[in-house]
Amino acid sequence: MELNLRDEKENERNKKEGLGLGLGEQEEYGMEWNLESFSEVEYINNLFPTEQSLVELDSSLLKWKERIRNTNELLRNSIYEQISSERDKGKQKILETTKSIQDLFVQISEMKRKAESSEKMVHEICRDIKNLDYAKKNVTTTITALKRMQMLITAIDQLKWTSSKHQYREAAVLLEAINELSSLFIPFKHISKLSLLFKQVSTISSTLLKQIHYDFESSESSNSTLMDACHVIDAMGKDSRREFINWLLDTLLKEYKSLFRQGDEISSISNIKRRFAWLKKRLMMFDERFRGIFPEEWAVQESFVEEFCILTRQNVSEGLERERDNLDSNVFVSAIKKTVSFENEMSERFGKMTIIQKAISASQDQQSFQVPRFQGMISCCYDVCMDILVASEDRKLAERLSQILHEETWSVDEEERTKILQSSKDLVYYFKTCVQFCSSLSKNQGLSGVSQSLAKYFSQYANALIEKLPSADAKLNESQEKMICLIINTSDYCSKTSISMGDSIRNTINSRFADKINFKEVHAKFEEIIANSAKSLSKGLENKLETALTQMTKMPWGSWESVGDQSDYVNQLSTYINQSIPIYRSWIVNPTHFNFFCDLFIMSFIPNMIGHVYKCRRLSEYAAQQLRVDFAVIRQILCEIPSMANRISSPGLASRRYAKNVNKEMDKVDNILKVVLSPIETVLETFKSLIPNGTDTEFQKILDLRGLSRAEQKLFLSTPSEKEEKPLVSIPFVTNASIPSIPSINPPTASNIKRLFTTAANRFNMPDVLKSKSSNSSGD
């Protein structure tokens, strides 16, 4: 009985805890399944301790499924109960919140109503106060205007009294006050009373100006009175000050206009100096009479000089038109000098003025620069007659050039570093002096015309240099060679000087005339003289070497039987070159011109040497080899020409280019000799291979060197159809030696040829010689 009661209590407690298993069932398995230390494995082992206990497995599963179902139902019911309870609470809170919002809206509406009522009350209270403020402001403005008008009327009355007493200092103060007060009443100028006041001020000002004019004309007026009068004029404004200064300048220049009337002798161009003397005297009198009277910013003296310059320019322009036909050049140049000197003197006395040049584009800033104040103010009128100055300077240039050429010795000292003719130095110095002189007188048409004269006499001097060049067929002596070098140096100096002089004139002259300054033709003419002089030098050296080449053509090449050192004509050629080239190199100052001479020489001498080779008529086998030895030595001599001087520089691009040109031209000579040495059966193919651009004439000359008759040459010069009908026959060499085909080899040197060939050898096989040459080269 007790056990059953206990089981019922445990079941109820387990149901409350959400368990689906009664106490009896828990005791049946011997453990508390809802403890924290619950172990599933231990629980199952206790539940089924033996195999026999597994018989109850199905019933246990049913019990646990029932328990799960009960637990789910219990959980579902608990959730439903909790949701219903919370839903009711939420509805209650929403109702309470809505009621609170409604109460708040009512309170806000009430507050707004009270605020509008308060604002309306404030406006009603302040409306009367604002009206009173407007009334006070209008009354204050009216009172202020009446006081100012009273002050204006009082000031005008006082100005009348002070002006009548010549009390200019007090009048100046009153005028400043009247101007300041009047500016306040300008919008009301149409009112009759105010209009009358403005007229009174204008009348009083006019009266004051007349009094001031009288005081300045009177010699009894004190400096203090005149200084106070200047303050009065300043108080009247800029227009009154400008009007007074114009009156003063007209008064000062009245005597000048009367004294230098047009048509009188004193107003002629020859008496231009008297005008300037008159002004300088008046400036001294001005300083004595008005020293410290005029304010500095008025610049009365400067305006006086400027007005004098304008008036003088007009008078001089009219005088030039009247005297142009009979105007002497010396008088004209003297007048320009004196005028420019006067302008410079005034510019130094009054300083410079600042010119502001506006920027061309938005990205550039404005530029300001200072120029002489009075520069060109009078002298610009001489531009219309600048042809007189140009003609005068042209005559002087012609005379000076003639004198310089007459005094030229056409030689310089050996120790002279520049090695240019003294006449060019004197001429350039005189040209620069002329440019400096003319630019000081005119930077317009005059300087432009003189620059054209300079270009003309530069050209005449160039013609004088050309006349000193020897003829093309002349054999040059040392003196003539040095003369040509001097002409090259002098032409180079004049060429560079003419360009720099043109640039200098362009920078000095007015920009309107800059495009007319052109020394390019002069520069080109001197460059042409340099080229012709280098050609003359090259031709002169060739004429010297002609003797050696002629000796080469007269040697018995057809019966030559051995190969040895270089021939005598090579030694003679080397002697001429070693004697002449150092002179050229030491006397030609500019290395560029010396390199140009070297290029000209090899491009002319080597083709000439080839022509002399063709004149040798017949060449034996040994003769052809001997010529190759000779030309190898000549090649070396020609390559060493740039360094045949005391001033040896490191080999540069020009020297490498020169050596390349020498080798290129000398290869042509060597190729001709290779064709001569080739077997007769392959001579045509060898010619085409080594001289691909060769002509029939050249080929015929090579056949002549081989000693072939005209009939034998026809076999090689016939048409292709003829060659098919007439096969080539073996034609013996001039030495009757059979020579097989030889490969292309480098030109032999004298030392190698001497080692390979001896005078005892009468005949030899060419391939053996070439093999020996190849082995020796590889051994070396």
Side-chain angles (χ1 to χ4, degrees):
M1 184 64 178
E2 292 178 0
L3 181 58
N4 292 334
L5 291 174
R6 188 176 60 183
D7 290 339
E8 290 177 0
K9 291 180 181 180
E10 288 297 331
N11 288 334
E12 290 177 0
R13 184 173 60 82
N14 290 335
K15 287 180 179 180
K16 289 180 181 180
E17 293 178 357
L19 300 177
L21 188 63
L23 181 58
E25 294 173 340
Q26 290 182 18
E27 289 179 353
E28 181 180 355
Y29 301 115
M31 64 180 301
E32 293 290 338
W33 61 269
N34 56 348
L35 296 177
E36 185 177 356
S37 59
F38 175 77
S39 173
E40 296 85 353
V41 176
E42 186 179 356
Y43 173 76
I44 293 173
N45 289 334
N46 292 333
L47 191 61
F48 303 103
T50 61
E51 289 186 21
Q52 290 78 10
S53 61
L54 292 175
V55 178
E56 298 178 359
L57 179 61
D58 295 334
S59 60
S60 296
L61 289 175
L62 291 175
K63 290 179 180 180
W64 280 104
K65 288 180 180 180
E66 180 64 21
R67 181 189 174 191
I68 290 172
R69 188 180 71 253
N70 293 336
T71 301
N72 288 336
E73 184 178 357
L74 180 59
L75 288 173
R76 185 169 54 252
N77 293 334
S78 298
I79 291 171
Y80 286 162
E81 290 178 359
Q82 186 175 0
I83 289 174
S84 298
S85 176
E86 293 296 330
R87 183 174 56 205
D88 294 339
K89 291 180 181 179
K91 288 181 180 180
Q92 184 63 29
K93 289 181 180 180
I94 291 172
L95 291 175
E96 292 175 356
T97 303
T98 303
K99 188 175 183 304
S100 299
I101 292 172
Q102 290 176 352
D103 294 341
L104 181 61
F105 180 76
V106 171
Q107 293 177 4
I108 292 173
S109 299
E110 183 64 20
M111 291 174 64
K112 182 179 179 182
R113 186 184 62 78
K114 291 180 179 180
E116 291 176 351
S117 177
S118 299
E119 184 180 3
K120 184 177 180 181
M121 185 183 299
V122 170
H123 277 295
E124 290 177 355
I125 294 172
C126 295
R127 183 172 55 194
D128 295 336
I129 297 175
K130 186 181 291 185
N131 291 335
L132 292 174
D133 286 340
Y134 286 148
K136 179 182 177 181
K137 182 179 179 181
N138 292 334
V139 170
T140 302
T141 303
T142 303
I143 293 172
T144 302
L146 290 175
K147 287 182 178 180
R148 289 173 177 173
M149 182 176 290
Q150 182 62 37
M151 292 170 63
L152 178 61
I153 294 172
T154 303
I156 292 173
D157 292 338
Q158 291 179 357
L159 182 62
K160 288 180 182 179
W161 184 82
T162 54
S163 62
S164 63
K165 300 297 182 181
H166 292 260
Q167 297 178 359
Y168 294 133
R169 183 177 295 275
E170 291 79 2
V173 176
L174 291 172
L175 271 174
E176 291 178 355
I178 289 173
N179 290 335
E180 186 176 354
L181 292 171
S182 298
S183 63
L184 300 174
F185 295 101
I186 289 178
F188 312 102
K189 194 175 181 179
H190 59 280
I191 299 175
S192 59
K193 179 63 176 177
L194 291 175
S195 177
L196 182 61
L197 291 177
F198 280 112
K199 288 180 181 179
Q200 289 180 5
V201 173
S202 177
T203 302
I204 296 172
S205 298
S206 299
T207 304
L208 271 174
L209 276 177
K210 291 179 181 180
Q211 291 178 4
I212 291 172
H213 289 173
Y214 176 79
D215 290 338
F216 270 93
E217 290 176 344
S218 175
S219 59
E220 298 178 357
S221 301
S222 63
N223 288 349
S224 60
T225 300
L226 297 181
M227 289 177 64
D228 294 341
C230 291
H231 291 306
V232 172
I233 294 173
D234 259 339
M236 290 182 181
K238 293 182 179 180
D239 293 338
S240 297
R241 183 175 67 187
R242 188 180 302 108
E243 181 182 351
F244 170 77
I245 292 176
N246 291 336
W247 169 82
L248 180 63
L249 297 180
D250 288 339
T251 303
L252 294 174
L253 291 171
K254 187 179 297 183
E255 178 188 356
Y256 177 75
K257 295 176 182 178
S258 175
L259 182 62
F260 294 92
R261 292 192 303 269
Q262 291 295 328
D264 294 346
E265 178 65 23
I266 195 175
S267 63
S268 63
I269 303 301
S270 59
N271 291 321
I272 188 72
K273 188 175 181 180
R274 300 185 65 176
R275 294 176 180 267
F276 306 141
W278 179 91
L279 177 67
K280 294 176 182 178
K281 183 178 180 180
R282 290 302 176 273
L283 288 176
M284 293 175 60
M285 295 173 60
F286 188 92
D287 285 338
E288 295 175 0
R289 177 72 178 87
F290 301 111
R291 183 186 300 276
I293 291 177
F294 297 107
E296 185 176 353
E297 61 270 15
W298 282 23
V300 176
Q301 268 196 339
E302 190 173 345
S303 300
F304 177 38
V305 176
E306 185 174 355
E307 192 66 25
F308 168 83
C309 291
I310 294 172
L311 185 60
T312 302
R313 183 178 63 212
Q314 295 174 353
N315 293 340
V316 171
S317 298
E318 295 173 358
L320 288 173
E321 292 180 1
R322 185 173 61 254
E323 303 176 22
R324 179 183 179 88
D325 296 335
N326 301 321
L327 188 60
D328 183 70
S329 60
N330 294 328
V331 173
F332 180 75
V333 173
S334 176
I336 297 177
K337 287 182 180 178
K338 294 172 182 177
T339 303
V340 172
S341 176
F342 168 77
E343 291 174 346
N344 294 334
E345 182 181 352
M346 293 298 106
S347 296
E348 291 177 2
R349 178 170 182 172
F350 296 104
K352 298 180 179 182
M353 63 178 180
T354 301
I355 303 296
I356 298 178
Q357 185 179 20
K358 293 184 178 180
I360 299 176
S361 61
S363 60
Q364 297 179 345
D365 298 332
Q366 289 185 344
Q367 296 180 351
S368 61
F369 56 94
Q370 291 186 331
V371 296
R373 172 78 180 183
F374 297 98
Q375 186 182 64
M377 187 167 284
I378 301 176
S379 58
C380 64
C381 67
Y382 294 106
D383 288 343
V384 295
C385 297
M386 274 299 165
D387 55 329
I388 299 176
L389 173 64
V390 174
S392 174
E393 292 302 314
D394 189 88
R395 287 193 297 272
K396 293 179 182 179
L397 288 170
E399 294 173 0
R400 182 56 181 161
L401 176 62
S402 176
Q403 180 183 359
I404 288 174
L405 292 176
H406 179 72
E407 296 173 354
E408 178 58 68
T409 61
W410 302 100
S411 63
V412 298
D413 190 2
E414 293 281 348
E415 302 300 326
E416 179 68 28
R417 184 177 62 86
T418 57
K419 287 186 172 56
I420 60 176
L421 295 171
Q422 184 62 35
S423 58
S424 65
K425 298 179 183 178
D426 297 339
L427 186 68
V428 169
Y429 174 77
Y430 187 79
F431 281 2
K432 290 182 178 179
T433 304
C434 179
V435 171
Q436 186 177 3
F437 170 72
C438 294
S439 62
S440 65
L441 301 182
S442 172
K443 292 181 174 59
N444 297 321
Q445 295 177 352
L447 186 56
S448 175
V450 170
S451 69
Q452 295 176 6
S453 296
L454 295 178
K456 179 177 71 174
Y457 289 108
F458 258 132
S459 298
Q460 291 186 10
Y461 182 73
N463 293 333
L465 295 180
I466 294 174
E467 293 175 357
K468 290 295 179 179
L469 291 176
S471 60
D473 298 331
K475 288 187 178 181
L476 304 178
N477 55 37
E478 184 175 344
S479 176
Q480 290 175 318
E481 291 173 340
K482 292 180 179 179
M483 170 59 63
I484 295 176
C485 295
L486 285 176
I487 292 176
I488 291 175
N489 298 335
T490 302
S491 299
D492 183 52
Y493 170 70
C494 292
S495 174
K496 294 177 180 177
T497 303
S498 64
I499 293 299
S500 62
M501 188 177 296
D503 294 338
S504 176
I505 295 175
R506 272 190 292 273
N507 294 332
T508 304
I509 201 169
N510 192 304
S511 58
R512 294 184 294 113
F513 300 92
D515 294 338
K516 296 181 180 180
I517 309 302
N518 187 0
F519 284 83
K520 291 182 179 179
E521 293 183 1
V522 175
H523 171 74
K525 191 164 188 176
F526 281 113
E527 291 294 324
E528 184 181 358
I529 293 176
I530 294 173
N532 292 335
S533 300
K535 291 178 182 178
S536 297
L537 209 59
S538 173
K539 187 63 177 177
L541 182 57
E542 284 186 58
N543 293 337
K544 282 185 179 182
L545 303 179
E546 185 68 23
T547 304
L549 296 179
T550 303
Q551 180 182 349
M552 177 189 72
T553 61
K554 294 180 179 180
M555 295 178 69
W557 298 115
S559 59
W560 206 264
E561 297 182 351
S562 64
V563 179
D565 287 339
Q566 66 265 21
S567 304
D568 291 338
Y569 76 90
V570 178
N571 296 329
Q572 185 180 3
L573 184 144
S574 176
T575 300
Y576 286 143
I577 291 178
N578 283 300
Q579 288 176 350
S580 300
I581 294 300
I583 297 175
Y584 304 162
R585 185 64 186 89
S586 61
W587 278 74
I588 297 177
V589 178
N590 193 333
T592 302
H593 300 323
F594 178 74
N595 294 333
F596 177 66
F597 155 76
C598 293
D599 293 336
L600 283 177
F601 173 67
I602 62 168
M603 299 305 293
S604 177
F605 171 71
I606 296 177
N608 185 28
M609 185 173 63
I610 293 174
H612 281 76
V613 171
Y614 287 135
K615 293 179 181 179
C616 292
R617 302 212 174 230
R618 294 193 304 170
L619 297 177
S620 69
E621 176 184 353
Y622 291 104
Q625 289 294 347
Q626 181 63 51
L627 284 175
R628 293 191 70 192
V629 173
D630 294 342
F631 291 151
V633 177
I634 293 174
R635 180 196 296 260
Q636 184 177 359
I637 294 172
L638 295 179
C639 288
E640 292 175 354
I641 283 179
S643 60
M644 288 183 183
N646 295 327
R647 296 180 295 172
I648 300 176
S649 58
S650 58
L653 180 61
S655 298
R656 293 193 296 269
R657 178 177 54 80
Y658 168 80
K660 182 179 179 181
N661 290 336
V662 170
N663 291 326
K664 179 181 178 181
E665 294 299 319
M666 290 301 297
D667 285 344
K668 296 179 181 179
V669 186
D670 196 55
N671 289 336
I672 292 173
L673 296 177
K674 287 179 182 180
V675 175
V676 172
L677 289 170
S678 64
I680 193 62
E681 295 85 356
T682 60
V683 65
L684 182 59
E685 289 76 7
T686 305
F687 174 79
K688 292 181 179 180
S689 174
L690 296 179
I691 311 175
N693 297 324
T695 62
D696 292 341
T697 303
E698 292 175 338
F699 184 58
Q700 186 175 0
K701 291 179 179 180
I702 292 175
L703 295 179
D704 289 338
L705 291 177
R706 295 186 65 102
L708 300 183
S709 64
R710 294 300 178 186
E712 293 171 335
Q713 291 180 13
K714 289 182 180 180
L715 299 175
F716 299 95
L717 299 175
S718 59
T719 60
S721 59
E722 292 174 346
K723 290 182 181 181
E724 293 176 0
E725 297 173 357
K726 299 179 180 181
L728 282 174
V729 296
S730 177
I731 301 176
F733 197 73
V734 292
T735 59
N736 297 323
S738 177
I739 303 177
S741 177
I742 60 173
S744 176
I745 60 174
N746 294 325
T749 62
S751 59
N752 291 335
I753 294 296
K754 183 177 181 180
R755 186 171 69 250
L756 292 175
F757 301 102
T758 61
T759 55
N762 295 326
R763 294 204 184 277
F764 54 86
N765 191 5
M766 282 303 300
D768 296 337
V769 173
L770 296 175
K771 291 177 182 178
S772 176
K773 172 73 169 76
S774 176
S775 63
N776 289 335
S777 299
S778 61
D780 294 338

